Amino acid sequence: MQGRTRDHQQLVQGGRTRPHDLDHATRSVPLSASVLFANPSCVLADIDHADEYVRNTTARAFSVVASALGIPSLLPFLKAVCRSKKSWQARHTGIKIIQQIAIMMGCAVLPHLKNLVEAVAQGLEDEQQKVRTMTALCIAALAEAAAPYGIESFDSVLKPLWTGIRKHRGKGLAAFLKAIGFIIPLMDPEYANYYTKEVMVILIREFQSPDEEMKKIVLKVVKQCAGTEGVQPAYVKKEILPEFFKNFLVRRMALDRRNYSQVVETTVELAQKAGVSEIVGRLVNDLKDESEPYRKMVMEIITKVVAGLGAAGASSSSSVRRPRLTLRRSMQISTSVWRSSSSTASSMPSRSSRSRTRSCSKASEPSSTRSASASSPTSPRSSRPSSGVSTTRAPRFGNRLRT
């Protein structure tokens, strides 16, 4: 204990941490957790280190200790660090520790979820952009770890989150949208429907963002909102699908390997809510697109949608049936025309064989029959004046072959 007090005094004299920040933490942390302060120059001093890589490594080390000793052992210390007024780096590291705890321990944070959320709630309104961004990412990790429970613990951060998505741009907005995307599935259906409509305005605006990370988060949030119970299919068809297909189901996204799989997964999730007809009907004509990567992406989407939901909805829908029947009918017509032409050509005798057959038939007739038919008044040839030359036209090849 004397060694811990001496190290504590050295830290305070060195100006690394304010006295009340560590006093409250060291008095509250049990003796079993005092191993954290055995070498403060390597652990506590790195909490407010200037290098962000060092702070991230420190946060991971603390998360390992929390998983071994239990969250209640470190909770007072974490609250003190997250509310430190000495430097924003210390607050950033404290919030990062809680995020790493949620990632490492998963659903084990549920008994302490409310305390952890309250410890980081003030970071959403911090003056430093990095602290606000890290706080939103921490809340997203806590919501993901607690799913599908714990919505009551996030009541204190709902208003700052919805205010933040209207104030932030860039990476900050992406972090806030990610937090909202993990919180909405925890809500009751009626609340989920309301908050989805509120956040969808921002999401549709960010559909056109050139930032790849923003696109990835937007696709993820759209997938989470569409899969939430309470979101109406009519709203998805009217508000989300037109802009989604306009901005994401394009050739450029088929070449983007980072977001390719996310586009496919989000489209399949939208089909779960909107139905097979709405998705396949919009994509079926793109199977004839000139771009091969885009055709492959469209085919993968249709395959997954039909495999998951079946084609019963598509066959009864006029919006899908029309292009499908047009394509199918054109293929049937072309196939039937090809078959009929080939069968006619194979069954029809050649010109020489027809001539040969005609000459043989005429040669087999008796001469009296030919003369009678030539002199018959009812024959059309008898009405012509006689010029002394036979009017009977000989076959082209028959007489030559006979002579």
Side-chain angles (χ1 to χ4, degrees):
M1 296 295 292
Q2 292 179 356
R4 186 178 64 176
T5 305
R6 184 169 56 254
D7 293 335
H8 172 264
Q9 291 175 354
Q10 291 176 0
L11 276 177
V12 174
Q13 291 173 1
R16 297 180 181 273
T17 312
R18 296 185 65 178
H20 65 82
D21 287 338
L22 270 179
D23 282 342
H24 176 73
T26 52
R27 286 197 304 267
S28 304
V29 175
L31 187 60
S32 59
S34 63
V35 293
L36 289 173
F37 305 100
N39 193 357
S41 61
C42 296
V43 182
L44 293 180
D46 293 336
I47 287 180
D48 56 352
H49 198 277
D51 190 358
E52 186 175 357
Y53 177 79
V54 176
R55 297 201 305 270
N56 292 341
T57 305
T58 304
R60 288 186 174 89
F62 271 95
S63 65
V64 173
V65 174
S67 64
L69 301 179
I71 296 177
S73 301
L74 289 182
L75 192 56
F77 169 76
L78 294 176
K79 288 182 178 180
V81 175
C82 293
R83 298 170 184 175
S84 174
K85 300 184 183 301
K86 176 65 177 180
S87 63
W88 68 268
Q89 289 91 347
R91 298 194 298 272
H92 183 276
T93 307
I95 297 170
K96 182 75 174 181
I97 292 172
I98 297 179
Q99 181 199 25
Q100 292 298 320
I101 290 174
I103 294 174
M104 179 172 292
M105 302 185 65
C107 61
V109 302
L110 272 173
H112 319 286
L113 183 60
K114 188 174 182 62
N115 293 327
L116 293 175
V117 172
E118 291 177 353
V120 301
Q122 294 182 358
L124 292 174
E125 299 176 348
D126 196 89
E127 64 272 9
Q128 288 290 330
Q129 172 71 24
K130 289 187 176 181
V131 177
R132 295 196 298 269
T133 303
M134 181 52 62
T135 304
L137 294 176
C138 177
I139 293 175
L142 290 171
E144 183 180 9
Y149 309 104
I151 184 58
E152 299 84 4
S153 303
F154 295 96
D155 290 339
S156 59
V157 297
L158 289 179
K159 185 177 179 180
L161 285 175
W162 256 261
T163 305
I165 62 175
R166 289 171 173 82
K167 293 181 179 179
H168 291 80
R169 292 292 186 273
K171 293 183 178 180
L173 176 60
F176 275 71
L177 289 175
K178 185 176 182 180
I180 291 175
F182 281 104
I183 290 178
I184 286 180
L186 309 181
M187 298 180 179
D188 294 334
E190 58 272 15
Y191 293 102
N193 186 26
Y194 171 78
Y195 284 107
T196 297
K197 292 181 180 179
E198 292 293 325
V199 75
M200 196 55 64
V201 178
I202 308 297
L203 291 174
I204 293 176
R205 186 193 69 194
E206 296 300 324
F207 279 175
Q208 304 176 3
S209 174
D211 187 10
E212 298 297 330
E213 190 65 26
M214 175 64 77
K215 287 183 178 180
K216 184 177 180 180
I217 293 178
V218 165
L219 287 169
K220 180 70 173 179
V221 176
V222 170
K223 177 184 175 182
Q224 292 168 327
C225 293
T228 303
E229 184 182 359
V231 178
Q232 301 299 325
Y235 176 78
V236 175
K237 296 176 184 178
K238 182 179 179 181
E239 301 294 336
I240 301 178
L241 287 184
E243 294 296 328
F244 179 82
F245 276 83
K246 178 181 177 181
N247 293 279
F248 290 108
L249 270 300
V250 293
R251 298 178 182 178
R252 180 166 48 86
M253 294 304 297
L255 300 175
D256 186 4
R257 304 309 303 176
R258 294 184 58 188
N259 296 326
Y260 176 92
S261 59
Q262 191 64 51
V263 171
V264 174
E265 293 175 4
T266 304
T267 309
V268 173
E269 189 65 37
L270 289 173
Q272 297 277 350
K273 184 68 67 172
V276 182
S277 60
E278 290 293 331
I279 302 300
V280 179
R282 295 172 184 268
L283 291 177
V284 67
N285 290 329
D286 293 337
L287 292 173
K288 300 179 288 185
D289 193 85
E290 298 177 356
S291 174
E292 182 180 359
Y294 181 61
R295 293 198 308 269
K296 292 173 66 176
M297 184 179 73
V298 171
M299 193 64 213
E300 182 178 352
I301 293 173
I302 294 178
T303 302
K304 291 186 176 182
V305 169
V306 174
L309 301 176
S315 61
S316 61
S317 174
S318 60
S319 61
V320 183
R321 191 174 183 178
R322 192 177 301 113
R324 285 184 63 187
L325 284 179
T326 301
L327 180 61
R328 184 186 303 172
R329 185 59 181 167
S330 61
M331 294 178 63
Q332 290 177 351
I333 291 174
S334 60
T335 305
S336 60
V337 169
W338 178 80
R339 289 179 177 176
S340 61
S341 60
S342 60
S343 61
T344 304
S346 61
S347 61
M348 184 180 298
S350 61
R351 192 170 185 179
S352 59
S353 62
R354 291 199 304 269
S355 303
R356 194 178 298 111
T357 305
R358 190 182 303 114
S359 62
C360 293
S361 61
K362 288 184 175 295
S364 61
E365 294 179 359
S367 57
S368 59
T369 306
R370 289 201 300 270
S371 60
S373 61
S375 60
S376 175
T378 59
S379 174
R381 300 179 186 272
S382 61
S383 60
R384 297 179 183 179
S386 175
S387 57
V389 181
S390 175
T391 59
T392 304
R393 184 176 179 180
R396 179 176 297 181
F397 300 107
N399 293 336
R400 294 180 185 178
L401 294 175
R402 286 165 55 189
T403 58

